[in-house]
Amino acid sequence: MRTSPPATSKPSKASAISATSVALSAVLLVLLAVLVPFSALSAWVDLEIDDTDRYVAAVSPLSSDPAVQSTVTDLITDEAMRQIDLGPLQDTVRDFLHEAVRSFTSTEAFRTAWDTANRTAHEAVTAALDGDSGEAVTIDLAPVIEQVKQDLVSQGVPFADQIPVQRTEITVIGADRADSLRDSFHWLRYCSIWPAVATLVLLVLVVGIATVRGGLRAALTATAAVGAGFVLGAIVLRILVAVGRSRVLDEVPGSDRDAAAAVVDALTASLRTTVWAVLAVGAVLLVGAVVARVVLGRRRTERGGPPG
């Protein structure tokens, strides 16, 4: 008498495949949670922080930022008044000069001088990343002061010719914090855009192998895992940006903090945009794959087959 195979053989095989799929999805989720923020940060260092033109383009709009204009105005006025002693008229002259400098910060000449100052400041940023300097990362306002002085002197503003043109700095990253960030930036710069390339190759391989070995259902499961990984990676990246911002600003002097915060926010704007882009792509992949699995399962059920 012939005996039929145990009835549990197929379900056991299906369970094993399901367990393997879940395990692989979990591994992929963790990998993406690490690779997505790492890829974004390394590409950011390579494409924006290390590139002078892109760096200047990122901070150039800050010439119209009220916090930056206020900080620049206060610093220039303070430096000028150290060279002027008019006794009882000191406060009156200070207010007049402060207003004149403040008015200058809304001109095209100031925007040009701001770009020039930041192009020079980029050297300090790259020096900090390279580990060539233990000093703070600063923006030297000397080019701005020179332009302010020329403008005010040409307008006949009293005592404008006494404004000293010397190194006057806005601190963006404190010396200790710059030193602590060197190793991280060194590795990010070394990796360049290759983590992003590796991430895309990984995704293509995972989804492709899942499709070949398990068909449509396995491909959808892998796609859902990719989407969830993107979402998790975007969240991790956003947390890293927020924590990094807080740590950088902790060591900035109070008088420079508002301007430094504006600079940091401008430089990390592309990272925040990346967060939303990756989050949106991940959500679409995750929701789309889950909905497709549900629809596929219902169709199989309606046809009398096992649910998807």
Side-chain angles (χ1 to χ4, degrees), residues 167-188:
R167 187 173 183 86
T168 304
E169 301 172 338
I170 296 177
T171 300
V172 179
I173 304 177
D176 291 341
R177 187 62 65 204
D179 289 341
S180 67
L181 291 174
R182 281 181 186 170
D183 289 341
S184 298
F185 275 110
H186 172 76
W187 282 106
L188 291 173

Side-chain angles (χ1 to χ4, degrees), residues 187-295:
W187 282 106
L188 291 173
R189 170 182 286 166
Y190 179 79
C191 292
S192 186
I193 64 170
W194 295 112
V197 175
T199 300
L200 293 176
V201 171
L202 173 66
L203 299 184
V204 172
L205 287 176
V206 168
V207 175
I209 292 173
T211 303
V212 172
R213 298 193 63 180
L216 181 58
R217 286 187 297 170
L220 290 174
T221 299
T223 301
V226 169
F230 273 14
V231 170
L232 185 58
I235 293 172
V236 172
L237 176 59
R238 186 64 186 90
I239 292 173
L240 290 176
V241 171
V243 171
R245 179 184 190 275
S246 177
R247 291 184 63 192
V248 165
L249 295 179
D250 278 347
E251 293 186 1
V252 175
S255 59
D256 294 350
R257 189 158 297 169
D258 289 343
V263 172
V264 171
D265 289 342
L267 291 176
T268 57
S270 59
L271 285 176
R272 295 194 301 276
T273 301
T274 299
V275 167
W276 288 111
V278 173
L279 192 64
V281 171
V284 169
L285 291 175
L286 177 59
V287 173
V290 170
V291 170
R293 278 295 303 261
V294 171
V295 171

Side-chain angles (χ1 to χ4, degrees), residues 19-88:
T20 301
S21 178
V22 170
L24 290 176
S25 296
V27 171
L28 181 61
L29 194 67
V30 173
L31 282 175
L32 286 176
V34 174
L35 283 174
V36 167
F38 183 57
S39 299
L41 289 170
S42 59
W44 171 68
V45 169
D46 182 67
L47 299 176
E48 184 162 325
I49 300 302
D50 272 352
D51 187 282
T52 302
D53 290 337
R54 287 176 177 164
Y55 175 91
V56 173
V59 297
S60 181
L62 293 180
S63 60
S64 301
D65 186 277
V68 171
Q69 292 179 340
S70 178
T71 299
V72 170
T73 299
D74 291 344
L75 284 173
I76 293 177
T77 303
D78 289 343
E79 288 298 322
M81 294 309 298
R82 289 192 180 98
Q83 308 298 318
I84 302 172
D85 184 6
L86 296 174

Side-chain angles (χ1 to χ4, degrees), residues 289-302:
V290 170
V291 170
R293 278 295 303 261
V294 171
V295 171
L296 182 62
R298 286 180 178 176
R299 288 181 178 177
R300 286 178 178 272
T301 301
E302 292 172 357

